[in-house]
Amino acid sequence: SLYFHDFAILPQSGTPGRYGIHFDLTTSPVYYSMVERVNIGTLGSYGIYLTNPTLTNGFFLNTIQNNWVISNGIRLNRAGDTVQILHNRIEGSNCGIDVDFVSGAALLLVKDNNIVTSGGAICVGASAVSLRIVNNEVETLAGCTGSNGAIIDIAGTVGAPAVHTLIDGNSIQVLSANSNENGIRVNYANDTEIVNNYFS
């Protein structure tokens, strides 16, 4: 397990590094980890990034919570079971939270985050099971890439639909007066509930 807490990663000059925190699962899994009360400034790419080339369930039982700022968002490639993203300020030019899963992975909880971006808020790829997107405050200039302009995009596929999804109590505001974004898009899903969301 890893515990990252109470520090800042801020660019000083020149060309900033690629990621603030990079979970690289090329050789071993990461589980029971936590990123908490961290400030990640604007670097070359995502604030938090996961690389998982081959592991079946390499990133599981992990929490990202109570962070002051995560600039340029969170990107998790091939996440595993029980990932929680809670009470964070997420901002920048990328999609705020962009996650896809290994086959059969279950439970992603995205709750009580403040997401202010120019590239969409929450994008979840194929194979999502027990997905909960609850009580997030979203302000964005554009939708997620490749999602027909959706600010929250659940991108299931024919062979790997999203299963048992709840999108509840989110506040979604589009900051661009000329935008044509969709608020929520669900593509190939079973057992989906969308309730109590506010669109300005």
Side-chain angles (χ1 to χ4, degrees):
S1 63
L2 302 169
Y3 184 27
F4 299 92
H5 64 98
D6 298 290
F7 63 90
I9 302 172
L10 304 172
Q12 296 299 303
S13 62
T15 303
R18 187 179 301 168
Y19 311 118
I21 296 174
H22 182 193
F23 293 100
D24 187 348
L25 277 58
T26 301
T27 58
S28 60
V30 172
Y31 51 92
Y32 291 109
S33 74
M34 182 175 292
V35 180
E36 184 173 37
R37 296 186 305 275
V38 172
N39 181 2
I40 301 175
T42 303
L43 301 173
S45 187
Y46 287 91
I48 297 177
Y49 193 84
L50 166 66
T51 300
N52 181 9
T54 60
L55 297 179
T56 302
N57 194 13
F59 189 80
F60 60 97
L61 290 165
N62 295 300
T63 301
I64 300 168
Q65 70 176 12
N66 300 324
N67 292 289
W68 296 302
V69 176
I70 301 173
S71 295
N72 284 337
I74 298 167
R75 173 70 176 111
L76 305 180
N77 294 293
R78 291 172 43 82
D81 292 328
T82 317
V83 175
Q84 300 184 93
I85 302 174
L86 313 170
H87 309 284
N88 303 286
R89 165 77 175 189
I90 301 169
E91 59 185 38
S93 58
N94 294 323
C95 180
I97 298 169
D98 189 353
V99 182
D100 59 61
F101 298 91
V102 297
S103 180
L107 188 54
L108 171 67
L109 176 59
V110 178
K111 184 177 180 184
D112 296 328
N113 298 283
N114 179 260
I115 303 171
V116 180
T117 68
S118 56
I122 301 166
C123 181
V124 180
S127 299
V129 177
S130 294
L131 170 61
R132 303 286 178 266
I133 299 174
V134 180
N135 296 343
N136 298 284
E137 177 75 24
V138 172
E139 298 177 11
T140 187
L141 289 170
C144 300
T145 302
S147 67
N148 296 323
I151 295 165
I152 296 176
D153 182 43
I154 311 304
T157 64
V158 174
V163 179
H164 197 43
T165 298
L166 173 65
I167 303 174
D168 181 10
N170 301 282
S171 176
I172 299 171
Q173 180 179 1
V174 181
L175 299 178
S176 172
N178 299 316
S179 63
N180 294 309
E181 280 70 29
N182 297 306
I184 297 172
R185 171 183 178 258
V186 178
N187 188 61
Y188 291 106
N190 300 321
D191 186 21
T192 302
E193 184 177 5
I194 301 174
V195 294
N196 302 321
N197 298 282
Y198 170 76
F199 303 89
S200 68

